[in-house]
Amino acid sequence: MSRARICLATGVVVSALAVGSLPAAALAESPAEATVAAAATLPYRHSDSVRQIQLQGATNVRDLGGYRTYDGEMVRYGQVYRADGLGKLTDADVATLGRLGLGKVIDFRVPVEVQYDGADRLPSGLTATSRPVTDNGLYAQLLTAIGSRDPVKQEEMLGGGKAEAFMRDVYRTFVTNPENRARFAETLRDIADGDRRSPLLYHCTSGKDRTGWTSYVLLRALGVPSRTAERDYLASNDYRAAYDAKVREGLKQSGLMQNPDLLIPLQEVRTDYLGAALAEVETDYGSLHGYLREGLGLDYGTLAKLRARLVGS
């Protein structure tokens, strides 16, 4: 096999790793398929104020509504959605998204992710806005580690706490990288400037890191307590666990990795990853409010519009 074909094949596997699915030969039937009939009429699964939209081609699509703020108000349902990759949606999934009435979709993926995973599949008339937030080289690192098929090299690259340290660095760039801050700021402004008739969805590949940080910051900006916003962030582990476990098994069966558990720190979200970003916020801006105002450049008017649009009956 040529080097280019090996690279492409590895990229497909890495893309599957991030999305939480693998080709049929390596991955058993998706549990979401058993619920597709129900999803066609009622796409939400309610759980502790979290509403998952059940799709066959994506596992971590959620309504950000339903959370209580400090003053007892509630974040409105049906206004902002967070998601993982939308490139593998079925026709039924696209129809489900169509019933959400989305006015805008924002894609945080970098070009190499789009190359291997594919462009978003969206309802007719809706085109994703590309707003890449760097993964700090995570995708390339996965390509290199998995594509090597070398357990010693994989251990050297990902073992001994290296994967966890890498993820903490990724999260710090959400705060330190000016291009990243600009992308997050644009997204929050889009939400603030929108209206209730045009819901917005943002996503990355796994719907857990770039999307998770955006969701955490947005919920805190709305006055949702930190513990509640953290719970929304950590919920990605619940929604992705079964898929990610099958991905690891598929990598082992295919001979790409002898110890696919090395990938667990890259597949999961963890409080210390979020904590790394928040510590950087404290160092650079003094508080999350300082990050919103100085780091993202959101004035009081924009923050007030965010709350007016998303909080209340």
Side-chain angles (χ1 to χ4, degrees), residues 134-150:
T134 179
D135 65 352
N136 210 33
L138 173 60
Y139 209 85
Q141 179 160 333
L142 285 171
L143 283 172
T144 301
I146 296 174
S148 73
R149 294 177 175 258
D150 182 348

Side-chain angles (χ1 to χ4, degrees), residues 73-149:
E73 295 286 349
M74 181 180 285
V75 179
R76 293 188 181 100
Y77 284 115
Q79 294 299 301
V80 176
Y81 299 91
R82 51 171 298 171
D84 48 349
L86 304 178
K88 295 182 173 25
L89 299 188
T90 65
D91 290 344
D93 293 338
V94 174
T96 296
L97 285 190
R99 291 198 295 278
L100 300 180
L102 297 172
K104 189 163 193 172
V105 172
I106 295 168
D107 185 352
F108 290 139
R109 296 177 299 166
V110 298
V112 68
E113 294 173 279
V114 179
Q115 175 187 349
Y116 286 120
D117 189 37
D120 290 345
R121 293 202 67 212
L122 299 173
S124 178
L126 193 59
T127 302
T129 297
S130 178
R131 197 167 284 168
V133 173
T134 179
D135 65 352
N136 210 33
L138 173 60
Y139 209 85
Q141 179 160 333
L142 285 171
L143 283 172
T144 301
I146 296 174
S148 73
R149 294 177 175 258

Side-chain angles (χ1 to χ4, degrees), residues 26-227:
L27 181 60
E29 178 182 357
S30 165
E33 292 177 3
T35 65
V36 68
T41 56
L42 184 64
Y44 296 109
R45 186 181 78 182
H46 296 256
S47 176
D48 195 20
S49 296
V50 177
R51 299 205 300 186
Q52 180 194 22
I53 301 169
Q54 296 189 350
L55 303 175
Q56 289 179 282
T59 69
N60 197 14
V61 184
R62 293 183 259 153
D63 190 322
L64 210 61
Y67 293 117
R68 291 287 181 183
T69 61
Y70 281 111
D71 56 2
E73 295 286 349
M74 181 180 285
V75 179
R76 293 188 181 100
Y77 284 115
Q79 294 299 301
V80 176
Y81 299 91
R82 51 171 298 171
D84 48 349
L86 304 178
K88 295 182 173 25
L89 299 188
T90 65
D91 290 344
D93 293 338
V94 174
T96 296
L97 285 190
R99 291 198 295 278
L100 300 180
L102 297 172
K104 189 163 193 172
V105 172
I106 295 168
D107 185 352
F108 290 139
R109 296 177 299 166
V110 298
V112 68
E113 294 173 279
V114 179
Q115 175 187 349
Y116 286 120
D117 189 37
D120 290 345
R121 293 202 67 212
L122 299 173
S124 178
L126 193 59
T127 302
T129 297
S130 178
R131 197 167 284 168
V133 173
T134 179
D135 65 352
N136 210 33
L138 173 60
Y139 209 85
Q141 179 160 333
L142 285 171
L143 283 172
T144 301
I146 296 174
S148 73
R149 294 177 175 258
D150 182 348
V152 175
K153 183 172 184 177
Q154 290 166 355
E155 177 67 34
E156 288 174 349
M157 293 183 67
L158 302 174
K162 293 185 181 70
E164 293 91 335
F166 188 88
M167 290 303 298
R168 288 190 290 270
D169 285 343
V170 168
Y171 275 71
R172 291 186 186 101
T173 68
F174 297 162
V175 181
T176 61
N177 184 290
E179 288 79 15
N180 287 349
R181 294 199 306 271
R183 303 295 187 264
F184 294 134
E186 287 177 278
T187 301
L188 295 182
R189 288 193 189 96
D190 282 343
I191 296 170
D193 292 336
D195 62 60
R196 299 188 197 181
R197 295 168 297 180
S198 299
L200 181 146
L201 179 149
Y202 51 80
H203 79 92
C204 52
T205 294
S206 300
K208 67 184 183 70
D209 301 310
R210 291 160 288 187
T211 295
W213 175 249
T214 304
S215 301
Y216 180 87
V217 170
L218 174 58
L219 289 173
R220 294 294 309 280
L222 297 175
V224 172
S226 58
R227 183 170 296 182

Side-chain angles (χ1 to χ4, degrees), residues 274-284:
L274 181 63
L278 292 174
E280 197 66 45
V281 162
E282 188 72 23
T283 298
D284 294 353

